[in-house]
Amino acid sequence: MEATATFGGLELVTSPCVMTPRETSTGLVVCATDHLEGRSGVVVDVGTGSGAIALAIAETAPHAAVWATDVSVAAVELAGLHNRITVRCGNLLDPFPGTADVIVANLPYLPLGERQGYPELASEPVSAVFAEGDGLGLVRRLVAAARRRLTPDGLLALQIRGRIHSARQPDLHALEYLLDAPATLAA
């Protein structure tokens, strides 16, 4: 069952198979476009879901080549409705061939064991919000992969608990440190 949602001024097709786009994620769009400063470049939205973030970046940075990846076939089909972005199915950066100037992601970060404590997220797909262990395993794996896949001055921007955390390629250790102390991420 498809529906529509507004994100960053864009009207998007969405469905129950992806997380509903939220305006807090527009911070990822701002990070990406600020880093590009009007230049062309390559941006990858990892865990794209509906494609909202990728499409908003493509609209605000028209000279950028915007890629979007997701492990969910249904999400990739939905995001693929937008012909302005290149969408591929696969894990994290695996389906993306090359290096990126910007990588953005709003991956699952809440511990699966705490699911009952978030009734406001009950209608969202579990795999889009919750993950095993402390919930940050996918995010840690993305930071490690970004070391190899960002250009030398590339930027990684993550949304965790409604806040944007970013670092340029040479400073990714700052994000690793942050992820090693999850209590510092509390909203």
Side-chain angles (χ1 to χ4, degrees):
M1 178 173 80
E2 291 181 353
T4 59
T6 302
F7 178 81
L10 301 172
E11 192 75 17
L12 303 168
V13 176
T14 188
S15 83
C17 72
V18 298
M19 187 166 179
T20 305
R22 288 172 168 71
E23 287 300 316
T24 54
S25 296
T26 58
L28 290 171
V29 176
V30 172
C31 264
T33 56
D34 283 355
H35 184 74
L36 290 174
E37 297 176 323
R39 302 180 318 258
S40 62
V42 177
V43 179
V44 183
D45 174 22
V46 177
T48 197
S50 68
I53 294 166
L55 187 61
I57 291 169
E59 290 293 318
T60 57
H63 300 297
V66 181
W67 286 70
T69 70
D70 206 296
V71 294
S72 164
V73 172
V76 167
E77 289 173 359
L78 186 64
L81 295 174
H82 310 292
N83 63 7
R84 176 65 180 87
I85 59 177
T86 302
V87 186
R88 296 289 183 267
C89 189
N91 191 25
L92 301 174
L93 292 168
D94 290 349
F96 169 68
T99 58
D101 298 290
V102 180
I103 298 170
V104 297
N106 182 8
L107 294 171
Y109 55 78
L110 294 173
L112 185 57
E114 296 178 14
R115 182 176 171 203
Q116 299 307 318
Y118 295 93
E120 70 277 15
L121 298 173
S123 64
E124 302 294 354
V126 173
S127 64
V129 181
F130 300 96
E132 296 293 332
D134 69 357
L136 295 168
L138 279 174
V139 179
R140 288 185 185 100
R141 286 181 34 223
L142 178 59
V143 174
R147 284 196 173 285
R148 299 179 306 277
R149 304 300 293 279
L150 279 172
T151 58
D153 193 40
L155 180 78
L156 173 62
L158 306 169
Q159 181 176 336
I160 303 171
R161 295 190 179 268
R163 298 172 76 188
I164 306 301
H165 304 276
S166 64
R168 291 179 187 262
Q169 206 279 355
D171 302 316
L172 289 177
H173 63 277
L175 290 176
E176 291 168 333
Y177 176 78
L178 186 71
L179 294 169
D180 284 343
T184 61
L185 296 169

